Amino acid sequence: LASERAKALKMQLDAIKRQGARNGVAKGDIGKRSVELVAERNGMNYKNVQRYIALNNVVPELMKFVDEGKVKFIPAFEMSYIKPKNQQYIAMSIEGEAPVPSGDQANRMRELDQKGRLNIDTIDGIMLEEKKKGDIQVILNSQELGKYFFFADKTPTEMKEVILKALDE
């Protein structure tokens, strides 16, 4: 569970920090930050270790949804920087069947919270917004395009223009 991993990584980080203060630093670890050592020992990227450690600041009501997989990792990380009172409002909204916030929505709530403008009405407004659909991308490989283009003659931009023109016709 994300909550268990967050606690375990925090404990490892604290232990390394205490160990360095008492015993000095091992020769192979000189110049490395404590979080980098924890990341190496756990086969993770140090940024993800930092994100997991930040999850320790998520209120239990919200962390329950993270552990259940209802709230994704990155939105939970973003919400870890929101004041606990507002995190509880978010958890209540999710319990009340509001849509789970996306990463973008969580980031906006975090920014509003830091400016002191996040309240229960703002939270509900953001969470009830229609989630944006990303741009649709169609990917064609060179083998598929090879039937229609001689690659030495056309750049990718020129091929795109030809395809769009053909679709218009």
Side-chain angles (χ1 to χ4, degrees):
L1 297 176
S3 61
E4 293 171 348
R5 179 172 270 183
K7 287 175 186 154
L9 291 171
K10 175 74 170 137
M11 288 171 55
Q12 288 178 31
L13 182 66
D14 291 343
I16 286 174
K17 286 181 178 179
R18 280 193 307 275
Q19 179 184 9
R22 279 195 315 248
N23 303 330
V25 180
K27 287 185 181 188
D29 296 339
I30 293 175
K32 292 182 182 175
R33 295 171 33 210
S34 300
V35 73
E36 291 172 333
L37 296 174
V38 172
E40 282 179 13
R41 292 177 184 176
N42 289 281
M44 298 173 70
N45 178 312
Y46 81 94
K47 285 283 190 189
N48 279 341
V49 171
Q50 290 174 324
R51 290 179 184 123
Y52 270 107
I53 290 171
L55 286 185
N56 287 301
N57 299 325
V58 172
V59 295
E61 298 89 350
L62 196 53
M63 185 56 95
K64 176 182 80 169
F65 295 120
V66 177
D67 286 342
E68 292 171 355
K70 194 169 183 179
V71 173
K72 301 290 183 210
F73 180 69
I74 295 297
F77 161 71
E78 290 290 344
M79 290 186 283
S80 72
Y81 291 96
I82 295 174
K83 291 181 187 94
K85 177 183 76 170
N86 288 330
Q87 287 184 35
Q88 289 173 333
Y89 289 148
I90 294 168
M92 287 188 321
S93 293
I94 294 171
E95 267 181 20
E97 301 303 317
V100 177
S102 66
D104 180 54
Q105 291 170 320
N107 190 18
R108 284 198 336 233
M109 285 191 278
R110 173 185 174 179
E111 289 171 0
L112 288 170
D113 187 65
Q114 289 172 344
K115 294 175 184 173
R117 292 192 282 164
L118 188 67
N119 57 40
I120 193 159
D121 295 328
T122 314
I123 290 168
D124 285 340
I126 290 172
M127 290 180 62
L128 293 175
E129 288 174 350
E130 195 68 31
K131 290 195 172 75
K132 295 178 185 173
K133 302 273 187 214
D135 287 343
I136 297 173
Q137 285 189 330
V138 177
I139 300 171
L140 301 171
N141 64 35
S142 59
Q143 191 174 26
E144 294 166 325
L145 290 174
K147 298 179 204 174
Y148 308 102
F149 294 100
F150 181 66
F151 291 107
D153 291 349
K154 303 273 186 203
T155 66
T157 305
E158 291 170 333
M159 286 188 270
K160 178 181 171 184
E161 290 171 1
V162 169
I163 292 170
L164 291 175
K165 186 176 178 184
L167 289 170
D168 284 339
E169 292 174 4

